[in-house]
Amino acid sequence: MQALLLEDDAVLSSEIALFLESKSIKTDKAEDGEKFLNIFSKKPYDVFLLDINVPKINGLDICKTIRESNSETPIIIISAYDGIEEKKEAFLRAADDYLVKPFLLEELLLRINSQMRRLTPKTEEKEKIVVEDLIIYPEDSKVFRSGEEISLTVKEFQLLVLLARANGRTLSKQYISDEVWKNQFQSTNNAIEVYINFLRKKIDKNFKTKLIHTRPGFGYYLSPL
């Protein structure tokens, strides 16, 4: 991580930089607003730490300048001002956090980490079932074989997913009836045979490797073997 610190107190600036660098956050320092903007223009940073009362250009104006070209990178104000007006002004200029001096360096690290978690996308990988060249996305109700999308009805899709999730195990007609048709009618066995044939025409007919198989007397299974 890369941080850019605006702080005119040389001792505090060094303490913050040394501490953050011990936590793998490389920290560049500026003691006034003009120097900060000069450094800011040269490379990207992951977080900005701004004191308010600094020479030349104050931290609130710096905050506003940053936001004119950068809407995402976290800005944390670190200031001795603890009045509501200063805090209100900081947040009006789109600061993300406000830490009042004196503060523990560990707390500053917590605030930085909190902001970085906010920026980290929460990626939940969608379920994907793969059998040979057959790929099923249950959440999206999509099926592909050899890269070709195959259109299925709702029941065909439910039946295919049930077979695929069985990992090659044979599923009885009774089990399929319970899971897909919920025993809604008496002629379920015939319906299952019909839908297995529908699936074979769509999933297997145009492909060399057949995936949907019958185990006579037991049921059906999905496997490349």
Side-chain angles (χ1 to χ4, degrees):
M1 282 180 58
Q2 299 273 336
L4 181 53
L5 169 65
L6 175 61
E7 174 58 65
D8 64 335
D9 182 325
V11 174
L12 179 58
S13 179
S14 294
E15 287 179 354
I16 292 172
L18 285 171
F19 173 77
L20 293 181
E21 290 186 358
S22 74
K23 304 299 181 181
S24 300
I25 302 175
K26 176 71 174 65
T27 305
D28 292 333
K29 301 178 293 180
E31 66 275 6
D32 64 63
E34 287 185 359
K35 184 176 180 181
F36 180 96
L37 290 179
N38 184 48
I39 299 172
F40 167 74
S41 67
K42 293 180 179 177
K43 68 176 183 179
Y45 288 90
D46 299 295
V47 63
F48 300 110
L49 308 173
L50 308 180
D51 188 8
I52 293 177
N53 189 21
V54 296
K56 298 184 179 179
I57 307 174
N58 70 56
L60 293 178
D61 289 339
I62 292 291
C63 182
K64 181 181 178 182
T65 299
I66 292 172
R67 283 294 180 246
E68 288 172 354
S69 62
N70 183 322
S71 62
E72 293 295 328
T73 303
I75 298 174
I76 301 175
I77 302 296
I78 51 172
S79 174
Y81 297 131
D82 62 354
I84 190 63
E85 289 303 319
E86 286 80 13
K87 293 177 182 178
K88 179 179 178 181
E89 189 62 31
F91 288 116
L92 284 174
R93 299 188 187 211
D96 296 287
D97 203 350
Y98 193 111
L99 189 56
V100 177
K101 298 177 184 178
F103 52 81
L104 296 175
L105 294 175
E106 287 288 350
E107 183 175 1
L108 175 61
L109 180 63
L110 289 173
R111 302 288 185 101
I112 292 172
N113 288 338
S114 175
Q115 292 301 321
M116 298 315 297
R117 283 195 300 273
R118 177 181 63 80
L119 281 181
T120 302
K122 294 181 180 179
T123 55
E124 295 182 5
E125 195 168 326
K126 291 182 179 180
E127 181 185 5
K128 179 172 72 172
I129 305 171
V130 180
V131 182
E132 200 74 359
D133 59 346
L134 177 71
I135 301 176
I136 306 169
Y137 296 95
E139 294 177 41
D140 296 331
S141 299
K142 289 185 178 295
V143 180
F144 297 85
R145 183 145 192 206
S146 294
E148 176 187 340
E149 185 169 2
I150 298 171
S151 178
L152 300 179
T153 66
V154 173
K155 287 299 181 189
E156 289 169 351
F157 185 79
Q158 290 174 347
L159 178 56
L160 180 64
V161 170
L162 187 69
L163 290 168
R165 282 180 171 156
N167 294 318
R169 290 181 290 109
T170 300
L171 302 183
S172 69
K173 288 184 177 180
Q174 184 60 54
Y175 181 79
I176 293 171
S177 171
D178 292 343
E179 294 297 314
V180 178
W181 275 271
K182 311 298 182 186
N183 281 318
Q184 292 174 347
F185 45 87
Q186 296 299 316
S187 58
T188 304
N189 283 350
N190 290 335
I192 292 171
E193 292 173 5
V194 169
Y195 274 84
I196 287 290
N197 286 331
F198 286 162
L199 277 184
R200 282 179 169 144
K201 289 177 181 178
K202 293 182 178 182
I203 299 297
D204 281 345
K205 184 177 179 181
N206 297 323
F207 300 92
K208 181 178 180 181
T209 301
K210 308 306 177 185
L211 299 179
I212 301 170
H213 306 281
T214 302
R215 189 179 177 195
F218 293 90
Y220 304 97
Y221 64 97
L222 192 149
S223 171
L225 303 177

